[in-house]
Amino acid sequence: MNKYEQRAIMVAGSLMGVFLFAILYNAFSRKIDVPSCTPFNTKFEKGQVKKVDDNHYEVYVIAHMWSYEPGDISFPAGSTVDIYLTSTDVVHGFEITRKDINLMAVPGGITKKTVVFDQPGKYNIVCNEYCGYNHQNMLGEITVTY
Ligand code: CUA
């Protein structure tokens, strides 16, 4: 085997090790998980915010051209929020700014992600999947109160 081929194999092998380490480190040490996706069920017919108890909320969000339902979401700081997200037309994005949350709203499926909101303030929701001519106006807002 040529020495350049050997070097290329060594570099590729080392990079695979680095990537594997990064994945395992994030999964186990930083506890970063991937959102779950389940088939659409008929109980999810309208967008709403449900209070489970004082610090636990469920948010059902329907994305469609070119808004979210509900568009303005509010709950108190320190809440654990289960976000259930779906779309009624095309694939939309659901990115929560300042929160490192980036979900995909898929027709026929429900994306679920649990998020803890510790800091009060306004968080914008942005569609980051191109979904038609009004895509850039597809926005929402989360208000975390004191
Ligand atoms: Cu919805 Cu872009």
Side-chain angles (χ1 to χ4, degrees):
M1 189 187 296
N2 174 313
K3 70 176 179 180
Y4 294 108
E5 283 178 329
Q6 282 178 335
R7 275 191 205 157
I9 289 169
M10 296 264 286
V11 169
S14 305
L15 280 175
M16 280 174 17
V18 168
F19 292 145
L20 184 65
F21 171 79
I23 290 168
L24 295 176
Y25 174 75
N26 280 297
F28 294 106
S29 183
R30 296 183 65 208
K31 304 231 184 308
I32 290 178
D33 59 344
V34 289
S36 66
C37 197
T38 55
F40 188 80
N41 73 48
T42 50
K43 285 198 283 183
F44 192 167
E45 283 173 340
K46 60 177 185 142
Q48 59 185 313
V49 180
K50 276 190 191 166
K51 185 176 181 174
V52 180
D53 62 42
D54 282 348
N55 290 317
H56 188 191
Y57 288 78
E58 288 177 345
V59 178
Y60 295 83
V61 181
I62 297 174
H64 47 68
M65 292 175 178
W66 286 277
S67 62
Y68 299 102
E69 183 192 320
D72 291 307
I73 300 166
S74 179
F75 39 75
S79 297
T80 299
V81 181
D82 297 326
I83 299 170
Y84 296 88
L85 175 69
T86 193
S87 166
T88 51
D89 40 40
V90 298
V91 171
H92 295 276
F94 186 90
E95 180 180 344
I96 304 175
T97 58
R98 302 196 295 120
K99 207 53 195 155
D100 207 13
I101 300 294
N102 185 1
L103 306 176
M104 207 182 233
V106 183
I110 300 171
T111 305
K112 184 196 173 202
K113 177 83 181 161
T114 300
V115 187
V116 177
F117 287 85
D118 289 324
Q119 298 297 318
K122 301 246 185 221
Y123 298 81
N124 294 313
I125 303 168
V126 182
C127 179
N128 58 10
E129 301 275 344
Y130 183 70
C131 57
Y133 93 107
N134 243 340
H135 156 75
Q136 74 280 0
N137 297 323
M138 186 161 172
L139 304 166
E141 192 173 75
I142 294 173
T143 305
V144 180
T145 57
Y146 285 94

